[in-house]
Amino acid sequence: MHLESFLAQAFIYLLAAVVSVPVAKRLGMGSVLGYLIAGALIGPFAMGFIGKEGQDVMHFAEFGVVMMLFLVGLELQPKLLWRLRGPVLGMGGAQVLGTGAVIALAGWAMQYPGKQAIAAGLILAMSSTAIALQSLAEKGLMKTNAGQSSFAILLFQDLAVIPLLAVLPLLSSHAAKPEAEHAHGHGFAENLPGWQQALLTFGAVALIVGGGRYLIRPIFRYIAKTQLREMFTATALLLVVGTALLMQAVGLSAALGTFLAGVVLAESEFRHELESDLEPFKGLLLGIFFIAVGASIDFALVASQPGEIALWIAGMVLLKGIVLFLVARFSGLCLPESLLMACALSQGGEFCFVLFSVAQSGGALPGALANKLTAVVALSMAVTPILLLIYEKLLHPRLQKRENEREADAIPETDNPVLIAGYGRFGHIVGRLLAVNGIESTVLDLDSEQVDFLRRMGMKLFYGDASRLDLLHSAGAAKAKLFILAIDDEEKSLKIIETVKHQFPHLTILARASGRLHAYEMVRRGAHYIYRETLGSSLDLGTEALRLLGIPAHEAHHAAKKFRDFDEGNIRCMAEVWFEHKDGDEYVNAARDQIAEMEKLFAVDAEVRERPTDEAWDTESLRREALGEEDSAPNS
């Protein structure tokens, strides 16, 4: 390809991405669907800006999947990967075999020959690693049980591609030589005897593991000493490309090889730098891959048989979704997580294109059927972001609401002096601190999974909504002394304060506020003590920063205490200004005055510290500070 043509192609791809993806993101559809739409628009069946060369671009962009697996491997330390061996083999094996069998039966029922039905079933069992992982990562769901299980299944599918490449030619009605493929290419090893291939495979894997542990790290240390960032990036790319070439040379999956290299380097000191250097390449290549997939959809074929294609897409997604849902449920995932996994993995995968090519050239599938299934797989990729959107906007809220309708626990009568509402990352620290000091508390939490999980750890808490008056009575609010409000739902927390103030006026309310404006609302409703959830940790960090910059520890702690006292002391008067003027200039001016007053106060402190006297440490000033008395003017 000439430079001018290359630049023109690059301009078209980048322009399509820049226009479509932000629009798709603003509409809540995710970047993957944006890329697919962009590809469909500039493809040969719409505007025609790109032609058949899009297939070559897609093969090149598949390297983005390889790079993504390397980065995923960097996130998985060997111990974590070992813990996933059960889901990988169990859930992955059940999904591939189950989906393959169900789709094969459907094909056989549609009067397709048995071998063709089996070949189609096994190929369509594959899901898209790129779309599923990218979509889950964008929504922050990779760390959930559904995200981890999805990854385990995708990893098994990648493993399964290797034997599938060997099985597909056996399903042919006539002998034919399969074409070389891109991600699972056969290299010089394919003509070797079996035992030599096995030995070569073992040697390649051992080279990756041993090289990653004993060779790559010293090389990266050497490169890092040059302090040339571009050389470090080039070395990282060299590692990924070299690993991919080695795997393809011995007939293994390049994606699997780079994943293994990533796992080996997951515990190295260069892990984060590798991630930051390779992340832009991965994102760009995956974006190009999705655009190429969108451009490859044969809309002429779809337009000639729209009903049949739509029915096939719906059937494939439905059958895969059912199998995935059953696998997830039998593996112990809850209902929302099972549905999420079914939505995320129900599309066809990028390796389907490779396998269709092999199956067609090997005679396992006729050309017309392979072309139709290719269109089905490409369009099913566009369906996935829509399914995830439906799950996020419709299914999950309803399931969450249904979850919240769980009947509250029966609470035995107690005389505990403290009642805690909310036992998440904030409330459970308060509860544990009270417990280790021998103070019993009654705890309510509305997250059923959190309640069940903490109970397994031996903690005593009850499922229930603290905004319900009857539940507050059952929890002993009438006899308690303190009410600690630690939930993260701003609206509900304000409602609870109103209820407690009205029904249990004797209770002292200590409330968690998400921010300053939330604190103003709590002041208005009469909470006695308000704690902004990030203030304490921010001041701790600031104190440590002052200390590391050379300020004595006692002065750093004194400054933090003074900052806290001043800031919290002004919350109530600033709340009055806020509710009176809201976003008006009066509130801005009042805030500016508060900032100026604080700076003046600290400037006086700094002046006192610089005087060559020991006034800051006389016992009288410490006594006044401990008693909360105002400082008198320093002696001059």
Side-chain angles (χ1 to χ4, degrees):
M1 184 182 291
H2 296 295
L3 178 62
E4 187 177 345
S5 176
F6 170 77
L7 291 177
Q9 287 287 311
F11 179 79
I12 292 170
Y13 275 82
L14 292 173
L15 180 63
V18 169
V19 171
S20 301
V21 174
V23 173
K25 286 283 286 183
R26 285 189 70 86
L27 294 175
M29 296 187 292
S31 65
V32 174
L33 191 54
Y35 284 122
L36 292 171
I37 293 172
L41 289 175
I42 64 175
F45 303 101
M47 297 181 181
F49 289 144
I50 59 175
K52 296 297 183 184
E53 69 275 11
Q55 290 296 321
D56 298 330
V57 174
M58 185 163 69
H59 296 324
F60 165 73
E62 281 176 3
F63 191 70
V65 181
V66 173
M67 198 168 286
M68 182 176 67
L69 264 293
F70 177 75
L71 293 174
V72 169
L74 282 176
E75 294 287 338
L76 283 177
Q77 296 183 349
K79 289 180 181 176
L80 178 59
L81 183 62
W82 180 249
R83 286 207 303 270
L84 284 174
R85 67 189 186 283
V88 171
L89 297 177
M91 297 180 74
Q95 185 273 329
V96 170
L97 294 177
T99 304
V102 169
I103 294 180
L105 284 174
W108 179 73
M110 294 167 66
Q111 308 298 319
Y112 282 96
K115 288 184 177 180
Q116 292 182 17
I118 293 173
L122 291 174
I123 294 173
L124 293 177
M126 302 294 110
S127 302
S128 172
T129 301
I131 288 180
L133 294 190
Q134 180 83 355
S135 300
L136 291 173
E138 274 186 9
K139 298 177 184 301
L141 298 171
M142 276 306 298
K143 301 292 184 185
T144 63
N145 290 332
Q148 293 289 305
S149 299
S150 298
F151 173 75
I153 290 175
L154 290 167
L155 190 58
F156 181 87
Q157 290 180 0
D158 207 25
L159 287 165
V161 171
I162 301 167
L164 274 180
L165 288 168
V167 168
L168 286 177
L170 303 178
L171 297 173
S172 169
S173 56
H174 61 275
K177 184 179 179 180
E179 293 180 356
E181 57 286 337
H182 317 286
H184 291 76
H186 287 181
F188 64 89
E190 64 179 330
N191 296 320
L192 297 176
W195 68 273
Q196 290 185 10
Q197 287 189 27
L199 194 62
L200 205 58
T201 301
F202 179 79
V205 173
L207 181 61
I208 291 175
V209 175
R213 186 170 292 273
Y214 301 109
L215 183 63
I216 300 299
R217 293 183 187 184
I219 292 176
F220 274 120
R221 289 192 192 104
Y222 173 75
I223 296 296
K225 287 180 182 176
T226 65
Q227 297 186 344
L228 294 172
R229 186 176 177 86
E230 65 273 17
M231 284 308 301
F232 195 91
T233 304
T235 310
L237 286 171
L238 179 66
L239 170 66
V240 177
V241 173
T243 305
L245 286 174
L246 175 64
M247 287 290 100
Q248 286 188 319
V250 298
L252 290 179
S253 161
L256 269 181
T258 52
F259 170 73
L260 187 58
V263 172
V264 174
L265 292 172
E267 294 180 328
S268 77
E269 64 271 34
F270 303 106
R271 170 187 163 191
H272 296 296
E273 195 160 0
L274 284 168
E275 286 178 336
S276 62
D277 282 351
L278 294 179
E279 183 68 32
F281 292 98
K282 181 214 74 173
L284 191 58
L285 285 172
L286 280 181
I288 294 173
F289 171 76
F290 293 135
I291 292 176
V293 169
S296 70
I297 298 174
D298 189 346
F299 286 101
L301 175 64
V302 176
S304 65
Q305 309 170 42
E308 188 175 348
I309 295 290
L311 193 61
W312 281 31
I313 294 171
M316 185 196 76
V317 170
L318 181 64
L319 291 177
K320 286 189 76 170
I322 291 173
V323 173
L324 283 161
F325 179 79
L326 292 175
V327 168
R329 291 297 281 169
F330 279 110
S331 301
L333 268 63
C334 64
L335 180 60
E337 289 175 334
S338 301
L339 280 174
L340 173 60
M341 198 178 85
C343 292
L345 300 182
S346 57
Q347 76 292 119
E350 49 273 4
F351 288 132
C352 290
F353 303 122
V354 175
L355 294 171
F356 282 138
S357 174
V358 173
Q360 184 180 351
S361 62
L365 289 176
L369 179 58
N371 290 337
K372 190 181 292 186
L373 289 175
T374 299
V376 169
V377 168
L379 287 172
S380 73
M381 290 180 173
V383 170
T384 300
I386 298 172
L387 287 178
L388 288 174
L389 197 63
I390 292 173
Y391 171 83
E392 186 181 21
K393 302 294 183 185
L394 297 178
L395 295 179
H396 187 259
R398 293 190 179 187
L399 292 171
Q400 195 66 42
K401 184 178 178 182
R402 184 177 160 189
E403 187 83 6
N404 293 341
E405 290 173 355
R406 164 179 160 177
E407 189 174 349
D409 292 334
I411 304 174
E413 187 174 349
T414 63
D415 294 326
N416 292 337
V418 181
L419 176 56
I420 300 177
Y423 215 59
R425 60 189 173 89
F426 189 99
H428 92 275
I429 294 176
V430 180
R432 286 173 57 196
L433 179 62
L434 295 176
V436 296
N437 282 280
I439 299 174
E440 296 287 337
S441 57
T442 304
V443 180
L444 294 173
D445 196 286
L446 197 52
D447 186 337
S448 59
E449 291 185 10
Q450 174 83 347
V451 171
D452 295 338
F453 178 72
L454 292 178
R455 279 178 178 171
R456 287 163 54 194
M457 297 173 66
M459 298 185 187
K460 188 175 182 181
L461 64 164
F462 301 96
Y463 173 81
D465 186 353
S467 64
R468 284 174 47 185
L469 180 60
D470 60 327
L471 208 59
L472 290 175
H473 276 292
S474 301
K479 298 178 182 178
K481 296 177 180 175
L482 302 181
F483 181 77
I484 297 175
L485 182 59
I487 66 173
D488 59 0
D489 186 329
E490 292 187 11
E491 189 176 342
K492 180 166 283 189
S493 67
L494 299 177
K495 180 182 175 186
I496 292 174
I497 290 175
E498 290 175 351
T499 303
V500 171
K501 285 288 292 183
H502 181 67
Q503 298 292 336
F504 309 100
H506 69 285
L507 281 175
T508 300
I509 301 175
L510 296 86
R512 162 196 182 181
S514 60
R516 184 173 282 270
L517 296 184
H518 191 204
Y520 291 167
E521 296 288 349
M522 289 182 164
V523 168
R524 197 178 198 182
R525 286 161 177 78
H528 300 96
Y529 298 94
I530 300 166
Y531 301 87
R532 281 168 285 160
E533 58 189 18
T534 56
L535 181 63
S537 54
S538 301
L539 288 175
D540 287 344
L541 190 153
T543 303
E544 191 64 17
L546 289 174
R547 197 185 65 77
L548 292 173
L549 290 171
I551 294 180
H554 67 276
E555 290 187 12
H557 285 281
H558 178 77
K561 182 179 182 305
K562 200 152 195 162
F563 187 100
R564 177 196 289 272
D565 292 345
F566 184 89
D567 195 58
E568 291 190 340
N570 285 318
I571 280 284
R572 295 185 183 275
C573 64
M574 287 300 292
E576 293 178 8
V577 178
W578 170 258
F579 287 115
E580 189 173 349
H581 303 288
K582 288 291 182 180
D583 284 327
D585 292 338
E586 290 82 357
Y587 177 78
V588 175
N589 292 333
R592 189 175 295 169
D593 290 342
Q594 297 286 353
I595 294 171
E597 187 179 346
M598 181 184 288
E599 290 175 350
K600 184 178 177 182
L601 189 65
F602 274 77
V604 171
D605 263 13
E607 185 182 347
V608 171
R609 282 201 304 271
E610 290 172 359
R611 291 176 184 170
T613 65
D614 60 352
E615 290 177 349
W617 280 101
D618 67 282
T619 54
E620 180 59 23
S621 65
L622 292 175
R623 187 191 67 77
R624 287 198 303 271
E625 182 179 326
L627 294 175
E629 298 175 353
E630 292 186 0
D631 289 343
S632 58
N635 297 324
S636 57

